[in-house]
């Protein structure tokens, strides 16, 4: 026994020595490379043919180093730390409006004011051309330049000069900047059959309070089931995600665990208070842009068999970041750990490799591992959250993307038609039922054709590729006649395509118009009625037997 113990002790001492040696080697390698880096820049600064801007050159070096790690570890110099604060809190100081660069007039314009903000209070409208801010001209300036001048310290006042489309009038607006809280919960409301709907688009500070308030209000109105929409929600605060899950599951349950290199930074987030409701049926809507805190929320509710997840597979971000203060008022957002949801799985979809400047490796489904939900259903790690019910949305036709785009070749015909509609209609009908008439759609179609609008349908690209392959393999001359007939049939005709996709294009136009009168809340109300995934969620909530079957383990 003594000999055995002595052998164990010797092995332990040897292992400790090896670890200490490795740690010493690591520390020496770090110190060596830091010294080399400093020496390189000192020589550049003294001897390089041009005078160097240290902030720019070293900043570029820092950014390239971080880019080789992962896309979430980011350095913020002093003049960019406000961007990090806005990301974490959803707040900034400005006028509260989206702007866009109109390629037709080569100028920044108002795209969409947010409800209740200085932009909305000043009566700014979609399409207003931004001419100047105080004494600084904005004519021809890009979006970044104009946005930077619109923002500033809360409480400061400036004079905004605009040209209103439709009338051509030059207007001056005296606007006082405010602290803008981007709406994390743009809409909630009770729908048909007493089904509640909550749309959450970000996990910013205190968003869980808003979700809680919305849920209680609808429950008091007789809500019998909930659709919780996390599509397009890129995440945010981990603790806010835990607070939302806590609304629906008992106290004392571990929702998410963070594990990283620094053991003292590891943390388990448990539900801390009694829930609001543990039995009401819930369907959570997700898609490929559902990420981070949204995946913690949807994944935890799935692992705990508390909700049915419906939609398409989520993004797959299983990494956690913390803000780190650096010298001279700079900051860094640093990836410190992976997170694990209640079943024990991490849903990170990509391995980041740090050699040779960085690369990515998508984890194939064949390498994912099986885990189990609270009631024994199989779920897998890696690759995001796979929905319990896969339901793909109606895909938008290619022509809509080109009509909506503001790129270099855009005719801005859709944007101009919408702004003209707004300028000639003081009011419109209720957001939930608004639509444009067939006569108005015909007018829009006419404007598109007259504008010379062109777009690049995917079929053209495929046909061109096919032609090259046929020529290379020697089949083209023999099949030329048939090929050209097919190509002629596939030649795009905007008027024909607008007839073919009339219903979908009308929906997009209606949404653009509704936003100008009822803001984002109205847009969601307007699109709910035609949303395929929401309809499927309603159907599922009204079918109690199927809902329970989905949450039961497979026999």
């Amino acid at each position: 026994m003594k000999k055995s113990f002595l052998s164990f002790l010797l092995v332990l001492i040897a292992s400790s020595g090896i670890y200490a040696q490795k740690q010493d080697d690591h520390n020496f390698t770090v110190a060596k490379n830091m010294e080399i880096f400093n020496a390189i820049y000192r020589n550049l600064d003294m001897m390089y043919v041009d005078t160097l801007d240290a902030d720019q050159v070293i900043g570029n070096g820092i950014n390239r180093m971080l880019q080789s790690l992962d896309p979430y570890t980011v350095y913020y110099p002093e003049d960019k730390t406000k961007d990090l604060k806005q990301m974490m809190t959803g707040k900034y100081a400005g006028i509260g409006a989206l702007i866009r660069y109109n390629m037709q007039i080569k100028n920044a314009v108002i795209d969409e004011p947010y409800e209740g903000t200085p932009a909305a209070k000043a009566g700014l409208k979609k399409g207003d051309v931004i001419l100047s801010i105080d004494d600084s001209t904005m004519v021809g300036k890009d979006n970044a330049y104009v946005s930077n001048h619109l923002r500033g310290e809360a409480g400061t006042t400036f004079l905004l000069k605009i040209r209103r489309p439709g009338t051509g009038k030059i207007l001056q607006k005296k606007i006082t900047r405010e602290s803008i809280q981007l709406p994390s919960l743009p809409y909630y409301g009770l729908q048909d059959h007493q089904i509640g709907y909550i749309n959450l688009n970000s996990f910013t500070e205190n968003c869980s309070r808003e979700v809680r308030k919305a849920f209680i209000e609808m429950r008091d109105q007789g809500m019998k089931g909930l659709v919780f929409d996390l599509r397009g929600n890129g995440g945010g605060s981990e603790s806010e995600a835990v607070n939302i899950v806590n609304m629906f599951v008992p106290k004392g349950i571990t929702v998410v665990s963070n594990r990283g290199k620094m053991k003292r930074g590891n943390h388990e987030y448990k539900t801390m208070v009694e829930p609001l409701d543990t039995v009401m049926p819930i369907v959570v809507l997700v898609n490929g842009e559902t990420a981070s805190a949204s995946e913690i929320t949807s994944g935890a509710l799935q692992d705990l068999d508390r909700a049915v997840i419906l939609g398409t597979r989520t993004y797959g971000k299983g990494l956690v970041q913390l803000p780190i203060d650096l010298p001279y008022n700079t900051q860094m957002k640093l990836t410190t750990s992976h997170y694990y949801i209640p079943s024990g799985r991490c849903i990170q979809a990509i391995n980041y490799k740090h050699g040779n400047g960085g690369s990515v490796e998508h984890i194939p489904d064949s390498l994912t591992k099986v885990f189990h939900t609270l009631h024994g259903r199989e779920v897998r790690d890696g690759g995001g959250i796979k929905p319990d019910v896969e339901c793909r949305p109606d895909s938008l036709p290619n022509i809509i993307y080109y009509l909506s785009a503001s790129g270099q070749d855009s005719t801005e015909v859709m944007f101009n038609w919408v702004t003209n509609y707004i300028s000639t209609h003081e009011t419109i009908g209720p957001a939930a039922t608004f639509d444009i008439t067939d006569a108005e759609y015909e007018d829009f179609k006419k404007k598109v054709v007259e504008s010379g609008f062109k777009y690049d349908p995917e079929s053209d690209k495929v046909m061109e590729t096919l032609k090259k392959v046929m020529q290379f393999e020697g089949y083209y001359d023999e099949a030329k006649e048939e090929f050209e007939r097919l190509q002629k049939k596939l030649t795009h005709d905007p008027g024909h395509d607008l007839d073919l996709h009339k219903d979908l294009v009308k929906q997009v136009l209606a949404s653009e118009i509704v936003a100008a009168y009822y803001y984002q809340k109205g847009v969601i109300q307007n699109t709910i009625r035609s949303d395929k995934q929401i309809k499927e969620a309603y159907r599922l909530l009204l079918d109690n037997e199927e809902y329970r079957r989905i949450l039961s383990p497979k026999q």
Side-chain angles (χ1 to χ4, degrees):
M1 179 67 74
K2 288 182 180 179
K3 187 176 181 180
S4 176
F5 177 75
L6 182 60
S7 299
F8 171 75
L9 192 60
L10 289 171
V11 170
L12 185 63
I13 293 170
S15 299
S16 300
I18 292 170
Y19 175 79
Q21 181 63 47
K22 285 184 177 179
Q23 190 64 34
D24 288 344
D25 290 346
H26 174 76
N27 292 338
F28 172 73
T29 302
V30 172
K32 178 185 75 173
N33 281 283
M34 291 297 293
E35 189 174 346
I36 292 170
F37 182 87
N38 288 333
I40 288 172
Y41 191 78
R42 280 198 307 271
N43 283 282
L44 287 173
D45 194 46
M46 286 188 297
M47 302 170 62
Y48 188 70
V49 63
D50 298 321
T51 301
L52 300 179
D53 181 327
D55 288 338
Q56 188 177 75
V57 175
I58 296 178
N60 288 339
I62 292 171
N63 289 333
R64 276 302 289 130
M65 174 176 65
L66 299 185
Q67 285 167 13
S68 73
L69 303 180
D70 65 65
Y72 314 113
T73 298
V74 181
Y75 167 66
Y76 293 86
E78 185 175 7
D79 62 336
K80 297 292 184 183
T81 53
K82 288 182 179 179
D83 295 344
L84 179 58
K85 183 179 180 182
Q86 180 184 336
M87 183 188 302
M88 302 294 291
T89 65
K91 297 177 182 177
Y92 70 96
I95 68 168
L98 291 175
I99 62 172
R100 65 179 274 166
Y101 190 80
N102 187 306
M103 291 303 302
Q104 188 182 47
I105 63 174
K106 309 297 183 188
N107 213 94
V109 299
I110 299 293
D111 190 18
E112 183 182 340
Y114 294 122
E115 186 174 9
T117 62
K121 294 172 186 175
L124 296 181
K125 294 184 178 181
K126 187 182 188 77
D128 285 343
V129 182
I130 302 171
L131 301 177
S132 66
I133 298 173
D134 286 332
D135 296 328
S136 299
T137 180
M138 296 294 123
V139 176
K141 304 297 184 182
D142 62 25
N143 273 3
Y145 184 90
V146 176
S147 179
N148 188 53
H149 281 73
L150 288 172
R151 295 188 181 191
E153 295 298 322
T156 56
T157 300
F158 67 95
L159 199 63
L160 177 67
K161 184 184 288 186
I162 61 167
R163 183 174 67 249
R164 178 140 292 169
T167 66
K169 289 183 179 179
I170 304 297
L171 305 174
Q172 292 196 94
K173 306 279 187 177
K174 190 175 183 180
I175 301 178
T176 300
R177 297 179 180 92
E178 296 178 8
S179 179
I180 306 298
Q181 172 72 60
L182 298 177
S184 59
L185 200 164
Y187 174 70
Y188 68 91
L190 210 56
Q191 311 300 310
D192 294 339
H193 307 291
Q194 299 299 98
I195 301 297
Y197 174 85
I198 295 176
N199 183 295
L200 185 69
N201 61 26
S202 62
F203 282 79
T204 50
E205 286 181 345
N206 300 319
C207 72
S208 57
R209 292 184 188 176
E210 295 182 59
V211 174
R212 186 182 184 88
K213 174 179 173 292
F215 183 87
I216 292 172
E217 182 180 318
M218 291 189 293
R219 186 185 62 182
D220 291 347
Q221 293 172 357
M223 175 170 58
K224 296 178 180 177
L226 173 66
V227 176
F228 191 27
D229 196 344
L230 295 180
R231 293 174 299 178
N233 187 322
S237 168
E238 191 175 25
S239 59
E240 292 293 327
V242 175
N243 290 341
I244 289 173
V245 173
N246 195 170
M247 291 170 50
F248 308 115
V249 302
K251 180 180 177 180
I253 289 178
T254 300
V255 174
V256 62
S257 304
N258 295 349
R259 300 177 209 159
K261 184 187 295 181
M262 298 181 65
K263 301 303 180 187
R264 68 175 182 270
N266 291 352
H267 187 73
E268 285 191 349
Y269 290 88
K270 293 179 179 289
T271 52
M272 303 296 290
V273 299
E274 295 299 330
L276 291 177
D277 189 292
T278 60
V279 295
M280 183 180 293
I282 301 172
V283 173
V284 181
L285 299 182
V286 298
N287 64 7
E289 295 175 352
T290 300
S292 188
S294 294
E295 293 176 295
I296 292 174
T297 303
S298 55
L301 291 173
Q302 184 181 55
D303 282 359
L304 298 169
D305 294 306
R306 182 60 189 90
V308 170
I309 313 303
L310 186 148
T312 57
R313 188 178 295 208
T314 63
Y315 182 81
K317 181 177 180 286
L319 302 172
V320 180
Q321 287 74 44
L322 289 177
I324 305 293
D325 292 329
L326 299 175
Y328 300 101
N329 300 315
T330 61
Q331 288 183 300
M332 177 169 62
K333 180 163 63 72
L334 175 63
T335 298
T336 57
S337 58
H338 287 89
Y339 70 76
Y340 299 81
I341 50 180
S343 64
R345 57 182 170 145
C346 177
I347 50 85
Q348 177 65 22
I350 297 174
N351 283 331
Y352 294 100
K353 298 186 174 183
H354 314 313
N356 301 317
S359 61
V360 300
E361 176 185 69
H362 286 265
I363 301 171
D365 287 345
S366 59
L367 294 183
T368 59
K369 297 177 182 177
V370 172
F371 292 77
H372 293 90
T373 69
L374 183 64
H375 295 156
R377 294 187 299 139
E378 284 192 2
V379 288
R380 287 183 171 270
D381 64 355
I385 304 295
K386 183 179 179 181
D388 302 309
V389 178
E390 185 168 1
C391 178
R392 296 191 171 278
D394 290 324
S395 57
L396 292 176
N398 212 19
I399 190 171
I400 290 181
Y401 290 105
Y402 282 90
L403 284 168
S404 304
S406 58
Q408 187 172 356
D409 299 325
S410 174
T411 62
E412 300 285 0
V413 61
M414 177 181 279
F415 186 82
N416 293 340
W417 189 86
V418 169
T419 55
N420 183 66
Y421 186 101
I422 294 165
S423 69
T424 55
H425 292 75
E426 188 173 340
T427 61
I428 62 172
T433 57
F434 175 78
D435 203 353
I436 63 171
T437 66
D438 287 342
E440 289 166 341
Y441 187 75
E442 287 302 313
D443 178 67
F444 170 71
K445 187 175 74 172
K446 180 182 176 184
K447 293 289 193 301
V448 171
V449 174
E450 290 176 348
S451 73
F453 168 78
K454 295 180 181 179
Y455 73 103
D456 188 15
E458 289 301 312
S459 56
D460 279 1
K461 298 176 184 177
V462 174
M463 289 297 287
E464 187 60 32
T465 301
L466 177 60
K467 181 179 178 179
K468 289 178 181 178
V469 172
M470 290 170 65
Q471 288 173 333
F472 176 76
E473 295 184 347
Y475 299 125
Y476 180 71
D477 290 339
E478 186 178 341
K480 182 178 180 181
E481 189 175 333
E482 291 89 342
F483 182 88
E484 289 179 347
R485 277 204 303 270
L486 178 60
Q487 194 170 35
K488 196 170 184 180
K489 286 184 178 182
L490 295 176
T491 299
H492 71 85
D493 175 353
H496 170 268
D497 291 347
L498 287 171
D499 284 335
L500 186 64
H501 303 295
K502 178 178 178 179
D503 290 342
L504 287 172
V505 179
K506 282 182 71 175
Q507 288 173 22
V508 172
L509 289 171
S511 295
E512 290 287 321
I513 292 168
V514 164
Y517 297 88
Y518 299 105
Y519 306 100
Q520 277 303 303
K521 177 180 179 180
V523 172
I524 296 168
Q525 287 178 288
N526 186 262
T527 55
I528 278 178
R529 57 187 172 161
S530 58
D531 191 309
K532 176 182 173 183
Q533 292 172 318
I534 292 178
K535 287 180 179 179
E536 179 62 14
Y538 288 168
R539 187 198 66 77
L540 188 57
L541 287 170
L542 294 171
D543 188 337
N544 189 55
E545 185 177 336
E546 183 177 357
Y547 179 87
R548 292 186 181 281
R549 180 183 58 77
I550 291 169
L551 293 178
S552 300
K554 299 289 188 294
Q555 298 299 321

